[in-house]
Amino acid sequence: MVEIRAVDASCHDAVAELFTANNTVAGCGCMYFVLPNKEFSAGWHNRANRDRLLAELSERPPIALVAYSGGRAVGWCAAGPRERYARVLRSPLMKAREPAEDGAVWFLPCLFVRAGERRKGVAAELLAAAVGVAREHGATAVEGFPYVGGEKRATGEAYIGTEAMFAAAGFTLRARPSAKRVIMRVDF
């Protein structure tokens, strides 16, 4: 059993530690879908992306949820209004979206579960909690663009989830924009 919390300033130290769990999350700092490529790339090796994330933890609405086990952060789910994720909005996968919804529809672009905590349902609990937090903050829907199917993915690909994981959390198929990715959605 994990405890899920929407991030705020009180999560700073736990999130900072979580985002040193491996080189990918330390470099990304969950900024890939937020920043322009040049700025994102410049922040990869000096941890500027992670530092920017830590500076944004107290934004409202929250920008993510954190899963804790035994007082330690073990998982992360980025979540917020679709308009926050500029790279998502430019993605060919999302070209069929309704731009007028970008402020009201929340998007879940990234999930991370610490090694040793995977395959325990943490990601599923994060997805379910993200839906609840989005609803509490007035979202009209929540979307993600996971991989098709449900097979296990390499760690570097697993961060967007799978169709089966999203379906188990109550998301329904909205579109199949590519052979590898689907748009999944929960409407309120």
Side-chain angles (χ1 to χ4, degrees), residues 18-181:
L18 180 65
F19 275 83
T20 59
N22 68 36
N23 287 334
T24 300
V25 294
C28 181
C30 210
M31 290 288 125
Y32 179 79
F33 292 107
V34 175
L35 299 176
N37 192 49
K38 186 175 181 179
E39 190 176 344
F40 172 76
S41 295
W44 182 272
H45 295 289
N46 61 11
R47 299 210 175 164
N49 293 334
R50 186 195 71 156
D51 293 345
R52 181 173 176 160
L53 169 72
L54 294 173
E56 295 179 358
L57 291 183
S58 59
E59 284 189 7
R60 289 288 169 233
I63 60 169
L65 291 92
V66 179
Y68 291 86
S69 179
R72 181 180 184 214
V74 297
W76 170 270
C77 178
R82 198 164 59 191
E83 66 189 2
R84 180 173 194 272
Y85 303 104
R87 193 176 299 222
V88 168
L89 300 180
R90 291 189 306 270
S91 170
L93 297 172
M94 298 297 289
K95 68 181 174 186
R97 80 182 202 288
E98 177 57 54
E101 293 183 331
D102 289 346
V105 172
W106 275 36
F107 198 77
L108 310 179
C110 181
L111 291 156
F112 171 72
V113 177
R114 182 188 295 275
E117 300 296 327
R118 297 176 186 145
R119 299 213 162 296
K120 296 180 181 180
V122 175
E125 289 189 53
L126 282 163
L127 281 177
V131 170
V133 169
R135 182 179 291 179
E136 288 171 18
H137 286 276
T140 59
V142 181
E143 293 179 335
F145 55 10
Y147 284 107
V148 168
E151 67 276 357
K152 184 178 176 183
R153 309 297 292 193
T155 302
E157 294 181 335
Y159 71 97
I160 59 171
T162 65
E163 180 178 8
M165 177 191 307
F166 274 73
F171 287 73
T172 58
L173 180 66
R174 180 74 173 223
R176 290 192 180 275
S178 78
K180 294 183 179 183
R181 301 280 277 282

